[in-house]
Amino acid sequence: MTAEYQINGAVAVITLNNPPVNGLGHATRSAIVDGMQKALADDAVKAIIITGAGTAFSGGADIKEFNSPKALAEPNLHTVINVVENSTKPVIAAIHTVCMGGGLELAMGCNYRVAVAGAQIALPEVKLGILPGAGGTQRLPRVLGLEMALNMIVSGNPVASEKLAGTALFNELIEGDLMQGALAFANKVADVRPLPKVRDIKIDYPNYEAFLQFSRNTVKAMSGPFPAPLKCVEAVAAAITKKFDDGIQFERSLFIELVQTTESKALRHAFFGERAASKLPDVPEDTPTRPIKSVAVIGGGTMGGGIAMNFANAGIPVKILEMKQEALDKGLATIRKNYENTLKKGKLTQQKFEQRVGLITGTLSYDDIAQADIVVEAVFEDMGVKETVFKKLDEVMKQGAILASNTSTLDVDKIAAFTKRPQDVIGTHFFSPANVMKLLEIVRGAKTGKDVLATTLALSKKIKKTGVVSGVCDGFIGNRMIEQYSRQAGFLLEQGCLPEQVDKAIEKFGFAMGPFRMGDLAGNDIGWYIRKRRYVEKPEVTYSKTADLLCEMGRYGQKTGAGWYDYKPGDRKAYPSQVVNDMIVKHSADLGIERRKISDQEIVERLVFALVNEAAYILEEGIATRASDIDMVYLTGYGFPLFRGGPMFYADTVGLPNVILAMNKYAKGPHGDAWKAAPLLAKLAAEGKTFN
Ligand code: 3HC
Ligand code: NAI
């Protein structure tokens, strides 16, 4: 039973009770129909209220049921809404907190709707690659008008209930207790006949054809590879061009079409992946967290400044510690400038600007940060410097403070060992620019306390990051994988490609930026520095020397005005470089390699399957908890195309046996050792299974 049935005088109250968001799964749908039948059969009942327990009226259809028999099992959502709409007694939806998707569709099937202020009203289906499939596209235009409904359906964004007061969506906005107000409303309308139905409302929009054509053009231009937004326009168009029942049929057919698309499956995967990432099997959900009311950041450079901004944006005061006044002034000035730019663009109010800038202060003294609840170290990437800093932190920080390092390559366990409190040490690997990028890799040391992990995961949500936990290894999840991708990119250059061909092929696949444009943006010297270490530590791993030759030419990327591409002053556009292309061709000749024409398909397969194979090792070693965590790292930190769901999800859609087939083909070529299949990948492929 996932809905409760109660009688209050002459009113039956059906309360959805399916935590956490009263999703309309099969059991809940059945319980609503049962409640309706009970109320209709009871002569003492004159009106029926539908509401939700806990923190939602309803978050909509149960997304977990999609593509399973349960989604269509009777009573399906259409049947439930038909039962409600055909009721001979008035049905009132009493709405609070969250009323979304199928929840809003159910509410629009009711005769009346009352709500309290502050409820989030939305048809967010488009964000899951689908469209409202239970009448939302036909009923919302009838209550809100064509334009507003179209905006809400195409964007999927929530609108606060009080902003919709005065529309036909709400009959009353209730002040005070919702249930008391709803009961009073129900008693008032109990005998009113005929019963009003949203389906009977006429949409008045004389020049609708021009509006719809304009909408089609705009939405098409904005929706990229996703088919759903344009289908939303078509469905809304049907609300005005077709009879109600035909419109419902049309909407249904589009819904069925969309729910089966890979794009929709990818978006749903990302929705659940984001939420799964904050859960660790051995850290119970009720693990106590430590309060975080103040933050310290050590080092106000590129990363430290961005990291500090995240906390200030969330209203948490931050102290930045630098060694010299000059560096501190520079760091604080950069932060101020960043906020000023946002202010100038109109994306920040003056009040918020002042508040945020005011929350970030600087110091040169460790005494000033000793009471911070968490300290994030972002000093130079050098174990000696980290040692000095962590020994000092161990000495001065209050007991219970979390000691976090933003290191991108160093061993967090070694850093923890510099202190006498390794349980308090954790890695927080932000991505550059740290105030913009969504990803936060949370590096779990061997001794990191569970409460420290739980606190850091909660904190990542607070600062609006996607926190993904990684074990300790060279490069953690993201950079360890990208190394294999970069190696392939280098080999492609040796064998016949030029940078722009590789970048174009992978950008066409959907990556935000190809490896060479990315290298120029991040700085090619970073990879050079890491490779030089590898040549000593892991001489058996082969790399193309083209990237080293590039750095020897002083072409570090945009910061030196030249990298894989040429740049013009004040212009970030990458222009193919004759000098670099000549260098690449000459290097092939020096190696005695006969350059060949390489297809875009080969480029994409070699780059993406290199990621997938390394990810399989990462998963097998327990560095990542689950395949979807790896997908979240790539979707939020590396520009992997969302519509493909992340590398692991993509490999699943290609079929793991096909991935192995392609890898075996490349294993026969030069540097074939890179294509040794990870045991987990080979095993899943042989068993016909998937990662996710
Ligand atoms: N179905 C199944 N589970 C859902 C769900 C849904 N519609 N909406 C949320 N959940 C689950 C989440 O997976 C999460 O589960 P977990 O605790 O096991 O990780 C839990 O509910 C809480 O979710 P959030 O962490 O997102 O909680 P918030 O309080 O931050 O947000 C929310 C609540 C605003 C409802 C947000 O979860 C949300 O936007 N949900 C999606 C709403 C949606 O897209 N609805 C449309 C569904 S499709 C539909 O209705 C089709 C119909 O037209 C036929
Ligand atoms: P940066 O060189 O821009 O900034 C480092 C800052 O630390 C400088 O302002 C310096 O004055 C200060 N500093 C050095 N030693 C100090 C000490 N003992 N006490 C206090 N301040 C000190 O370096 P960046 O790029 O910000 O990197 C910082 C850390 O973040 C490194 O560990 C790096 O590996 C990591 N990282 C860097 C990324 C990037 O893209 N730049 C991405 C992710 C992680």
Side-chain angles (χ1 to χ4, degrees):
M1 197 63 169
T2 47
E4 282 148 22
Y5 182 83
Q6 281 155 339
I7 296 290
N8 195 313
V11 182
V13 181
I14 300 170
T15 307
L16 313 188
N17 192 357
N18 182 20
V21 298
N22 295 326
L24 295 165
H26 182 243
T28 311
R29 301 195 304 266
S30 303
I32 299 172
V33 171
D34 286 351
M36 284 297 301
Q37 280 164 351
K38 229 190 254 179
L40 291 170
D42 185 345
D43 287 342
V45 169
K46 301 286 178 221
I48 304 157
I49 290 176
I50 299 180
T51 192
T55 53
F57 171 80
S58 170
D62 187 339
I63 315 168
K64 290 185 186 130
E65 280 188 354
F66 283 9
N67 298 106
S68 84
K70 271 191 174 175
L72 299 173
E74 288 288 358
N76 63 35
L77 199 48
H78 277 277
T79 307
V80 176
I81 293 173
N82 281 341
V83 169
V84 169
E85 198 170 52
N86 293 328
S87 165
T88 49
K89 301 175 184 180
V91 187
I92 300 105
I95 295 167
H96 60 90
T97 48
V98 167
C99 178
M100 292 188 176
L104 179 54
E105 292 175 301
L106 172 65
M108 290 191 291
C110 297
N111 304 108
Y112 303 97
R113 287 151 301 280
V114 298
V116 282
Q120 296 182 66
I121 311 297
L123 288 177
E125 285 86 346
V126 71
K127 295 190 178 180
L128 302 171
I130 50 176
L131 50 65
T137 63
Q138 305 306 296
R139 289 191 179 90
L140 199 67
R142 287 176 158 81
V143 291
L144 292 185
L146 201 58
E147 283 186 36
M148 186 163 195
L150 189 102
N151 279 339
M152 279 180 72
I153 292 168
V154 169
S155 73
N157 290 336
V159 178
S161 48
E162 63 272 21
K163 292 207 171 136
L164 299 169
T167 68
L169 181 58
F170 296 127
N171 300 88
E172 209 166 271
L173 218 60
I174 294 190
E175 282 177 23
D177 184 71
L178 173 65
M179 195 38 69
Q180 264 180 21
L183 284 167
F185 184 90
N187 285 311
K188 193 170 74 187
V189 298
D191 298 319
V192 175
R193 295 294 182 279
L195 292 169
K197 293 181 184 177
V198 170
R199 60 179 284 148
D200 297 333
I201 300 174
K202 293 269 168 295
I203 305 173
D204 182 25
Y205 201 100
N207 201 9
Y208 70 85
E209 272 165 3
F211 170 70
L212 289 173
Q213 196 47 44
F214 168 77
S215 306
R216 280 185 193 103
N217 296 345
T218 325
V219 171
K220 192 170 179 203
M222 284 169 53
S223 46
F226 293 100
L230 207 52
K231 301 274 183 200
C232 286
V233 180
E234 293 314 332
V236 171
I240 196 157
T241 58
K242 291 184 194 294
K243 287 195 188 124
F244 182 81
D245 289 323
D246 294 342
I248 290 277
Q249 281 307 320
F250 183 63
E251 176 199 80
R252 182 109 195 105
S253 66
L254 294 181
F255 179 87
I256 290 169
E257 202 182 295
L258 286 173
V259 83
Q260 289 158 355
T261 59
T262 308
E263 291 84 355
S264 172
K265 288 180 188 160
L267 286 170
R268 272 140 46 201
H269 173 65
F271 177 88
F272 287 117
E274 167 114 31
R275 283 150 184 85
S278 62
K279 298 178 177 73
L280 289 173
D282 66 332
V283 180
E285 297 224 15
D286 57 359
T287 303
T289 54
R290 301 183 187 181
I292 302 291
K293 298 215 165 68
S294 61
V295 176
V297 174
I298 315 288
T302 312
M303 295 305 289
I307 292 169
M309 290 172 75
N310 284 308
F311 294 107
N313 296 349
I316 307 173
V318 193
K319 268 214 166 75
I320 298 182
L321 183 141
E322 269 281 353
M323 284 196 306
K324 296 208 175 96
Q325 189 65 44
E326 200 188 337
L328 184 58
D329 291 345
K330 193 174 158 214
L332 291 174
T334 307
I335 292 171
R336 194 181 176 87
K337 199 155 193 316
N338 276 337
Y339 278 128
E340 273 168 3
N341 287 341
T342 321
L343 178 72
K344 268 186 218 148
K345 285 185 200 151
K347 290 186 182 163
L348 202 62
T349 61
Q350 183 71 32
Q351 189 204 1
K352 281 215 166 123
F353 166 80
E354 271 153 30
Q355 185 201 13
R356 290 179 188 186
V357 170
L359 280 170
I360 302 177
T361 51
T363 181
L364 300 176
S365 160
Y366 274 89
D367 292 343
D368 286 345
I369 63 160
Q371 294 307 313
D373 296 317
I374 182 170
V375 49
V376 184
E377 165 277 309
V379 300
F380 302 136
E381 187 73 343
D382 178 289
M383 203 47 125
V385 185
K386 307 274 185 206
E387 178 173 1
T388 314
V389 170
F390 273 82
K391 282 192 167 153
K392 185 73 186 168
L393 290 175
D394 194 24
E395 210 180 290
V396 300
M397 295 307 293
K398 70 172 182 188
Q399 283 308 308
I402 294 178
L403 315 183
S405 172
N406 187 49
T407 180
S408 43
T409 54
L410 300 175
D411 185 337
V412 173
D413 288 330
K414 277 194 189 146
I415 295 177
F418 297 138
T419 73
K420 287 185 282 304
R421 34 175 142 170
Q423 75 282 359
D424 293 340
V425 177
I426 194 164
T428 48
H429 183 210
F430 287 83
F431 285 69
S432 181
N435 54 318
V436 177
M437 295 295 289
K438 279 276 287 172
L439 178 60
L440 175 63
E441 266 184 329
I442 297 172
V443 186
R444 175 181 195 167
K447 294 189 178 158
T448 305
K450 290 185 182 179
D451 60 334
V452 171
L453 270 163
T455 305
T456 311
L457 278 163
L459 190 60
S460 73
K461 263 195 195 159
K462 178 134 203 216
I463 59 171
K464 299 202 168 77
K465 300 282 175 201
T466 301
V468 179
V469 176
S470 168
V472 175
C473 69
D474 197 349
F476 313 130
I477 296 173
N479 285 345
R480 176 168 158 186
M481 284 164 65
I482 209 77
E483 193 190 335
Q484 299 308 323
Y485 169 96
S486 304
R487 281 180 73 209
Q488 288 303 319
F491 296 148
L492 284 164
L493 295 186
E494 282 184 0
Q495 292 159 17
C497 291
L498 293 175
E500 57 271 30
Q501 187 198 351
V502 176
D503 282 350
K504 275 200 182 132
I506 200 77
E507 285 163 16
K508 206 164 124 208
F509 173 80
F511 262 84
M513 218 182 261
F516 299 109
R517 284 213 297 137
M518 180 53 105
D520 278 0
L521 185 69
N524 296 307
D525 52 321
I526 298 179
W528 195 27
Y529 173 81
I530 295 171
R531 278 193 307 281
K532 280 194 245 179
R533 202 176 74 202
R534 291 263 156 71
Y535 294 149
V536 180
E537 289 171 4
K538 289 187 182 170
E540 70 283 6
V541 182
T542 50
Y543 294 89
S544 160
K545 287 271 184 279
T546 44
D548 299 351
L549 294 172
L550 184 84
C551 289
E552 283 167 21
M553 293 159 83
R555 300 182 69 111
Y556 292 175
Q558 289 190 22
K559 62 183 169 188
T560 55
W564 292 106
Y565 296 93
D566 290 338
Y567 296 90
K568 296 177 184 167
D571 179 3
R572 282 172 169 262
K573 190 169 180 289
Y575 296 91
S577 166
Q578 195 58 53
V579 186
V580 172
N581 292 352
D582 289 347
M583 176 274 282
I584 291 168
V585 173
K586 178 172 180 301
H587 181 62
S588 303
D590 290 348
L591 292 176
I593 296 173
E594 195 174 323
R595 292 175 68 81
R596 65 182 171 92
K597 190 169 169 6
I598 296 177
S599 70
D600 283 2
Q601 182 187 347
E602 177 171 344
I603 294 171
V604 169
E605 284 184 349
R606 284 175 58 178
L607 294 184
V608 177
F609 295 163
L611 291 177
V612 171
N613 197 36
E614 191 63 28
Y617 283 111
I618 286 174
L619 200 53
E620 199 166 12
E621 291 167 19
I623 296 293
T625 309
R626 51 181 83 75
S628 65
D629 282 6
I630 295 171
D631 286 334
M632 292 321 296
V633 166
Y634 265 73
L635 292 175
T636 58
Y638 291 83
F640 197 96
L642 177 58
F643 72 98
R644 299 195 190 272
M648 309 307 262
F649 184 86
Y650 175 69
D652 287 345
T653 60
V654 170
L656 300 188
N658 294 327
V659 175
I660 293 277
L661 272 179
M663 285 172 53
N664 288 344
K665 189 171 71 191
Y666 300 128
K668 294 195 184 102
H671 307 288
D673 57 312
W675 294 109
K676 188 169 168 286
L680 177 67
L681 172 57
K683 180 170 169 283
L684 292 175
E687 291 171 355
K689 292 189 178 153
T690 54
F691 284 122
N692 281 292

